[in-house]
Amino acid sequence: MARKGRTASGGRRLLWRAAGALLLLAMIAGAWGWWHLRHWTPERSIYPLQGVEIGVDDGEVSWKSLKAIGADFAYIDASASAFARDPAFVDNFDAAKAAGMQVGALHRYDPCQPAGTQAANFVTTVPRDAKLLPPAVELDMLADNCPVKVSDARVESELMTFLNQVETHAGKPVILKVTPAFQSRYTIAHKLDRNLWLVQDRFEPGYAGRPWTMWTANHSLANEVAQGGLRWVVVLP
């Protein structure tokens, strides 16, 4: 009986050791996967034009360093909703242009606020300049929690009003940065004939149901310029 007990005890120890080894391997694989994702960018041979989206949360930016690591262009957060403006916009805008980068401005659209007021916020923040990239409109916020109920039809009609006013100011069509949540709620990519900017880490996005023009391929790219993470964007060739 003692021999059987020792055998059973030894078997349990082997099982525990095997389980521990598997757990260690899983932790190593997970850590490597996390590191790889944080440092990954799409192949330059496939997507030769790559850049960043920059806002106040990114802190002070070394634009020369950004250009040195391969950022060909930058979209800079300019305004949001009816009255909010990115306090770093002017400095980032001027510094990016001085570094020789192509520059565009982005507005975060709020379906709870009037289109006209939001358009006024954007056009008074962003200068009229034919050399700028097409203005980008981030569609992420839903109307489900608006103080006053906003129907889906109203969201679409107000958005069109906003786009028309911004495009009149810019002299070119906007690009729609549509998140999965907004697309799932409003299927806006099928209703508006504008170029799309989609968001999905690591894997090419297909949630819009039609081809995209720009893709945020890594929303938190770690590198020597910004260890906190950069929003790295590529353009479809």
Side-chain angles (χ1 to χ4, degrees):
M1 292 295 292
R3 183 176 297 174
K4 290 182 179 180
R6 286 195 297 271
T7 301
S9 177
R12 285 194 294 271
R13 283 197 297 271
L14 288 173
L15 286 173
W16 278 111
R17 288 173 183 170
L22 288 173
L23 178 61
L24 179 60
L25 287 173
M27 292 174 64
I28 292 172
W32 181 88
W34 176 85
W35 185 94
H36 178 71
L37 177 61
R38 288 270 288 153
H39 293 79
W40 176 85
T41 58
E43 290 290 337
R44 185 73 64 163
S45 60
I46 301 174
Y47 300 102
L49 192 60
Q50 304 195 11
V52 293
E53 180 187 345
I54 293 292
V56 67
D57 292 340
D58 295 299
E60 187 174 351
V61 176
S62 171
W63 288 97
K64 290 183 179 179
S65 296
L66 273 179
K67 190 168 178 62
I69 66 169
D72 304 303
F73 66 89
Y75 266 91
I76 301 173
D77 297 344
S79 55
S81 190
F83 303 107
R85 298 178 184 177
D86 192 318
F89 172 73
V90 173
D91 289 342
N92 282 333
F93 182 84
D94 291 341
K97 289 180 67 178
M101 297 174 66
Q102 290 185 286
V103 182
L106 179 140
H107 175 85
R108 291 193 177 115
Y109 187 77
D110 181 354
C112 300
Q113 294 293 329
T117 310
Q118 293 195 67
N121 188 21
F122 181 82
V123 303
T124 56
T125 303
V126 181
R128 179 178 291 172
D129 185 343
K131 295 180 181 179
L132 294 182
L133 296 172
V137 180
E138 182 179 271
L139 302 177
D140 180 42
M141 188 182 303
L142 309 182
D144 296 343
N145 297 316
C146 295
V148 178
K149 182 176 175 59
V150 180
S151 68
D152 291 2
R154 183 67 175 175
V155 170
E156 186 176 342
S157 65
E158 281 288 288
L159 178 58
M160 278 303 305
T161 298
F162 172 83
L163 297 182
N164 289 335
Q165 294 184 24
V166 168
E167 288 171 345
T168 298
H169 172 76
K172 61 189 71 174
V174 307
I175 185 166
L176 300 178
K177 183 186 177 187
V178 185
T179 66
F182 197 94
Q183 174 60 18
S184 177
R185 180 72 174 82
Y186 301 109
T187 62
I188 205 70
H190 303 289
K191 299 172 181 177
L192 298 181
D193 184 20
R194 301 293 192 283
N195 286 332
L196 297 178
W197 172 353
L198 303 184
V199 180
Q200 182 169 293
D201 282 348
R202 191 67 172 80
F203 300 102
E204 291 189 14
Y207 60 84
R210 66 178 177 90
W212 47 268
T213 299
M214 292 173 58
W215 164 34
T216 299
N218 193 338
H219 83 282
S220 187
L221 174 67
N223 51 59
E224 62 271 23
V225 176
Q227 290 297 317
L230 287 170
R231 290 166 286 178
W232 196 256
V233 185
V234 302
V235 177
L236 190 68

